[in-house]
Amino acid sequence: MQIEQIILPEFPLLLAPMEDVSDPPFRSVCKANGADMMYTEFISSEGLIRDAIKSRRKLDIFEEERPVGIQIFGGDEEAMGMSAAIAATVNPDLVDINFGCPVKKVVTKGAGAGVLRDIPLMVRLTEAVVRNTKLPVTVKTRLGWDESSINIEEVAERLQDVGIKALAIHGRTRAQMYKGEADWTLIGRIKENPRIKIPIFGNGDINSPEKALEYKNRYGVDGIMIGRAAIGYPWIFNEIKHFLQTGEHLPLPTIQQRVEVIRHHLKRSLEWKGPVYGILEMRRHYTNYLKGFPNIKEFRSKLVQLNTYEEIDDILKQVLIRYDGFIAEKNLWSFAEGAPNCETAK
């Protein structure tokens, strides 16, 4: 598959952009475990223009991540155009527009999923981005605002007409937030539309190789975007790839593999965020990586209190000894639990 100059596998697996999750350290872990393309956390167009430190920091990308896209959001045409031009200066592989985040503080600003109520505005915002960058422009969105205003079929055609090169669709409306089951029926219908020539990626509730294969065959999408199921379980990308190719499951990750990934993630976190924030912001991940191990709480409690790599590594060595030979069951998010997503947006 190809998105202009971006070469992807025949059926790519994409890491979804997740606020406060898909930063460079996490993306590095997912890339090492089979993710084919990734995106930054979403970035406010107005924040970029006013040089907000947090927004600017999200522009950091690294060669090992490629192909990688910078995702922006906003409700003002001029600001979106300017932010696309700013994003292009760090040389990403593409610019992605977020028309899907359902959180109130984003929607009330007329951005994210809030734009789903105004298709002409969505088209104008997209045109502004396309005009202001030579990079491929893609979009991630939802089925519509609510059940009575599902408009994704019109959206797909009109955004393609103004120049986007791929479309990722989350199979829920804004009103659903992240509750209930994602409906891929309309995603499949868009893929079947003879007018649609761009790649269509499906998103929502993919948490196992079996489900990935079922949805690939049933809905005919060009690839799958995976979000919450990769949190604490980056192995899901290679597991899906192996299952699609062979029909067989890879062995579940051992405690040695889990600790190896934790160390990788921690080292990248320290390199990117420094010795203080690199330690502090890694703490949120230990529970996810070690989920399913009996009586792990005593180790987890220590991991979130220590302040140096050496101290943390000593605890990880103890974990290796304690759980040698133990295989935890696969960490599947219960999607009703509200795992991290753009609702944590600042």
Side-chain angles (χ1 to χ4, degrees):
M1 179 186 297
Q2 194 162 345
I3 302 175
E4 291 200 344
Q5 79 278 12
I6 304 170
I7 306 298
L8 296 170
E10 180 180 354
F11 189 77
L13 303 179
L14 287 57
L15 174 65
M18 293 177 283
E19 177 70 359
D20 289 336
V21 176
S22 51
D23 57 14
F26 182 75
R27 298 199 302 264
S28 177
V29 165
C30 291
K31 183 69 173 183
N33 285 277
D36 294 308
M37 187 162 74
M38 300 178 292
Y39 305 81
T40 62
E41 302 168 81
F42 75 162
I43 304 172
S44 164
S45 57
E46 295 180 357
L48 272 184
I49 293 169
R50 67 173 181 264
D51 204 26
I53 293 174
K54 182 173 182 180
S55 295
R56 287 280 179 168
R57 189 161 177 75
K58 289 180 181 179
L59 290 176
D60 288 353
I61 58 175
F62 298 87
E63 287 301 312
E64 68 184 26
E65 303 178 80
R66 295 189 185 278
V68 59
I70 290 176
Q71 189 184 73
I72 59 176
F73 74 96
D76 178 80
E77 296 166 52
E78 184 178 4
M80 286 292 280
M82 291 176 64
S83 64
I86 293 170
T89 63
V90 301
N91 196 31
D93 297 284
L94 61 88
V95 174
D96 188 74
I97 306 172
N98 182 308
F99 287 141
C101 181
V103 66
K104 184 176 180 180
K105 66 182 73 174
V106 173
V107 169
T108 54
K109 294 179 181 178
V115 186
L116 289 167
R117 292 177 291 186
D118 189 342
I119 297 180
L121 174 60
M122 182 185 289
V123 171
R124 293 196 304 272
L125 292 169
T126 304
E127 284 182 310
V129 173
V130 171
R131 281 196 311 269
N132 282 276
T133 180
K134 295 180 180 179
L135 293 168
V137 175
T138 62
V139 165
K140 184 173 188 286
T141 189
R142 288 178 170 242
L143 301 179
W145 178 257
D146 56 26
E147 286 296 319
S148 64
S149 59
I150 291 177
N151 53 20
I152 188 61
E153 292 180 273
E154 179 184 356
V155 164
E157 291 188 0
R158 295 188 64 177
L159 296 189
Q160 177 183 258
D161 290 346
V162 296
I164 71 166
K165 303 302 180 184
L167 177 64
I169 305 168
H170 182 99
R172 291 182 174 88
T173 63
R174 187 272 171 177
Q176 288 178 275
M177 302 294 284
Y178 292 92
K179 298 177 181 178
E181 185 175 352
D183 180 3
W184 282 54
T185 306
L186 281 173
I187 303 176
R189 192 182 303 172
I190 290 163
K191 182 57 193 171
E192 293 172 357
N193 182 347
R195 273 209 64 207
I196 298 298
K197 308 299 181 185
I198 59 175
I200 301 297
F201 302 122
N203 174 235
D205 296 0
I206 299 296
N207 60 6
S208 71
E210 292 89 348
K211 202 164 190 178
L213 177 61
E214 176 190 353
Y215 281 32
K216 174 182 183 289
N217 292 337
R218 182 186 298 180
Y219 301 108
V221 291
D222 295 293
I224 287 174
M225 181 177 281
I226 297 169
R228 289 172 288 172
I231 299 173
Y233 204 85
W235 302 276
I236 191 168
F237 297 101
N238 277 333
E239 286 184 355
I240 289 174
K241 288 182 176 181
H242 186 77
F243 190 77
L244 293 180
Q245 292 169 359
T246 68
E248 299 176 352
H249 289 279
L250 285 173
L252 292 172
T254 63
I255 187 60
Q256 288 79 12
Q257 290 170 313
R258 288 177 181 266
V259 168
E260 180 183 354
V261 165
I262 291 173
R263 285 171 170 157
H264 176 170
H265 196 160
L266 177 58
K267 287 177 182 177
R268 291 292 287 112
S269 184
L270 287 166
E271 290 168 3
W272 186 58
K273 300 176 183 178
V276 177
Y277 288 107
I279 294 288
L280 291 176
E281 295 188 14
M282 184 65 192
R283 291 175 177 174
R284 72 185 72 160
H285 293 282
Y286 296 127
T287 296
N288 301 321
Y289 281 128
L290 297 173
K291 190 173 183 179
F293 287 87
N295 303 313
I296 195 67
K297 185 177 179 180
E298 61 176 292
F299 293 107
R300 196 170 62 233
S301 297
K302 294 176 182 177
L303 288 170
V304 299
Q305 296 178 48
L306 300 175
N307 294 308
T308 70
Y309 178 86
E310 291 74 21
E311 292 173 322
I312 293 169
D313 196 52
D314 283 341
I315 300 300
L316 293 175
K317 289 174 182 176
Q318 295 176 36
V319 170
L320 284 172
I321 294 170
R322 172 72 67 87
Y323 296 100
D324 184 39
F326 183 89
I327 303 295
E329 288 300 311
K330 186 171 181 179
N331 173 16
L332 295 182
W333 280 111
S334 169
F335 290 109
E337 291 176 356
N341 51 57
C342 80
E343 289 189 54
T344 60
K346 303 295 186 293

